[in-house]
Amino acid sequence: MSVLSQLLKKSSPQQGIILYYLFAIIVAFLLLNLPYVHKQGIDVNPIDTLFIAVSGISVTGLSPITIVDTYSTFGQIIILIILNIGGIGVMAIGTLLWVVMGKHIGIRERQLIMLDNNRDTMSGTVKLILEIVRTIIIIELIGALLLAFYFYRDNPDLKYALMQGIFVSVSATTNGGLDITGQSLIPYSKDYFVQTIVMFLIVLGSIGFPVLLELKAYIKNRVTNFRFSLFTRITTSTYLFLFVFGVIAILLLEHNHAFKGLSWHQSLFYALFQSSTTRSAGLQTIDVSHFSDATNIIMGLLMFIGSSPSSVGGGIRTTTFAILILFVINFNNTADKTGIKIFNREVHIMDVQRSFAVFTMASILTFVSMIIISATEQGKLTFLQVFFEVMSAFGTCGLTLGITSDINDITKIVLMVLMFIGRVGLISFIIMLAGRREPDKFSYPRERIQIG
């Protein structure tokens, strides 16, 4: 711990966040190697254990092994703890522990909390974190109780019902994607009650903590003349657009393929669930390898976009996608320096620049990863399989075309790096690589160049 403290003192806030998440992965790895974590007679390759640790902290859900066949009840509880640490955020959990222990939270800690939650100000960060933790735990408890009660009706085994209900609720709310059925939610493919509850939990976890807190304030009428922020308006509208687009695309492309011969309501719920899970959840009610190539490409792109900022998910984030699209739509105006206007507000130029930086870095990162994986797997995987797995890892989603258990160690390392970067956020990662420079005290003459 003293070594970690020294590193944190010498590091920038962005480097500090990355160090905290690396430390969390090490702790998760050690927890998964405790006695009685594995079922009797089961040995797990260390790199697979590390993969599960990274997948849990990054709340991705990709796994080279089957959770239910590998881990005991104690091990599954450890995984639930890891999912919550990753989902709520390492700094949020740390803040909660600091408050419980009565530790003073200084400027340095507040900077890290601010960065981990994509905030622009340190004001009210501790109060915000405690509110987020309280909200997420309440959502998980309500979801767990509803699901456990429902599972108990079908199977009067209290231990099974409770464990299944809690695991599904935590996995859905944190968008962790791991399961203890061995088949994700495919056994509940015709159970619309379970699917509806899980979809609500996925949305609540991935829509963004600020959105939930603003909605909570609006319902309680705590603020006079309440007005939703521009962030909430862009986030919810973009989230809804991507969800509806995904549903329509899956229905149209699979109408005469995977959904052929199914009833309209079963097809609709398959499309609804798979569209919602591409935000970052990774749970599935149908084997996505049964989908057409076109559908899987669209799902890959949706995973690349990912969930909202300050949520449990990864990817470039919904707001980045929205700003890029708005920039293209308003290109003539932005060229005249009038900026991007939406909801009677103008988007700050810094946010536009950050969006392009995130998109560019994400595109390069995923492209290079696909090249490395394709080269190391030596033709064992198709391009679509590589593309889908890379997008799933970067978007911390966890959907797979069934290849995760067959990939080599180099591919696992590449996917772990993608999962890690997807969770800590590309802004922190870019700043860590580039560092912060002092602003220039002079400027050069400007000159136009030909574009396009």
Side-chain angles (χ1 to χ4, degrees), residues 304-410:
F304 176 76
I305 296 170
S307 62
S308 303
S310 298
S311 72
V312 298
I316 64 171
R317 307 302 204 273
T318 53
T319 48
T320 303
F321 172 75
I323 289 174
L324 292 174
I325 297 300
L326 288 170
F327 180 86
V328 173
I329 294 172
N330 294 275
F331 179 73
N332 287 335
N333 291 334
T334 52
D336 295 333
K337 299 182 181 178
T338 55
I340 297 174
K341 295 182 177 66
I342 185 171
F343 297 124
N344 298 318
R345 290 290 185 273
E346 188 170 322
V347 178
H348 198 287
I349 188 63
M350 178 64 75
D351 294 328
V352 178
Q353 292 172 344
R354 283 187 170 192
S355 297
F356 275 93
V358 166
F359 176 74
T360 303
M361 189 69 183
S363 300
I364 293 171
L365 188 66
T366 52
F367 185 72
V368 170
S369 298
M370 283 188 281
I371 292 174
I372 294 171
I373 292 173
S374 297
T376 57
E377 292 292 345
Q378 298 179 346
K380 289 191 294 183
L381 304 177
T382 65
F383 175 78
L384 180 61
Q385 289 173 325
V386 174
F387 168 80
F388 198 89
E389 203 83 0
V390 164
M391 294 306 172
S392 181
F394 174 72
T396 68
C397 184
L399 291 175
T400 178
L401 295 179
I403 65 169
T404 315
S405 58
D406 300 323
I407 55 179
N408 61 39
D409 290 349
I410 295 176

Side-chain angles (χ1 to χ4, degrees), residues 231-279:
F231 170 81
T232 294
R233 293 183 178 198
I234 291 179
T235 295
T236 51
S237 56
T238 307
Y239 195 103
L240 179 62
F241 167 77
L242 291 170
F243 175 70
V244 173
F245 169 77
V247 172
I248 294 172
I250 293 171
L251 279 174
L252 290 176
L253 292 171
E254 298 304 321
H255 177 67
N256 288 318
H257 190 250
F259 298 163
K260 191 173 183 179
L262 299 180
S263 62
W264 68 268
H265 50 83
Q266 192 169 1
S267 298
L268 177 62
F269 264 88
Y270 274 142
L272 286 169
F273 196 92
Q274 294 313 130
S275 180
S276 66
T277 202
T278 53
R279 288 284 57 73

Side-chain angles (χ1 to χ4, degrees), residues 15-37:
Q15 291 169 336
I17 285 291
I18 290 172
L19 285 172
Y20 266 113
Y21 272 96
L22 285 172
F23 179 70
I25 287 170
I26 294 169
V27 171
F29 177 78
L30 295 175
L31 288 174
L32 290 173
N33 280 289
L34 289 174
Y36 309 111
V37 162

Side-chain angles (χ1 to χ4, degrees), residues 183-233:
Q183 304 175 72
S184 194
L185 291 181
I186 292 175
Y188 305 100
S189 61
K190 296 181 181 179
D191 195 321
Y192 302 151
F193 176 82
V194 171
Q195 290 182 47
T196 302
I197 295 295
V198 171
M199 281 190 283
F200 269 113
L201 294 174
I202 290 170
V203 171
L204 291 173
S206 59
I207 194 97
F209 301 139
V211 176
L212 296 181
L213 298 182
E214 282 191 34
L215 184 61
K216 184 179 178 182
Y218 174 75
I219 293 171
K220 289 189 173 183
N221 279 325
R222 285 184 175 180
V223 182
T224 309
N225 299 321
F226 185 87
R227 179 185 174 278
F228 285 107
S229 66
L230 181 61
F231 170 81
T232 294
R233 293 183 178 198

Side-chain angles (χ1 to χ4, degrees), residues 269-295:
F269 264 88
Y270 274 142
L272 286 169
F273 196 92
Q274 294 313 130
S275 180
S276 66
T277 202
T278 53
R279 288 284 57 73
S280 189
L283 296 167
Q284 56 186 351
T285 55
I286 185 173
D287 188 345
V288 292
S289 63
H290 295 159
F291 284 160
S292 65
D293 290 354
T295 301

Side-chain angles (χ1 to χ4, degrees), residues 39-85:
K39 288 188 173 179
Q40 192 171 4
I42 298 292
D43 290 320
V44 180
N45 192 319
I47 195 167
D48 289 337
T49 300
L50 180 61
F51 196 98
I52 295 293
V54 176
S55 186
I57 292 296
S58 65
V59 283
T60 302
L62 287 174
S63 174
I65 54 180
T66 306
I67 302 299
V68 68
D69 295 333
T70 307
Y71 294 98
S72 63
T73 302
F74 175 60
Q76 292 169 15
I77 292 171
I78 293 293
I79 290 174
L80 285 176
I81 294 170
I82 293 170
L83 286 175
N84 265 319
I85 292 172

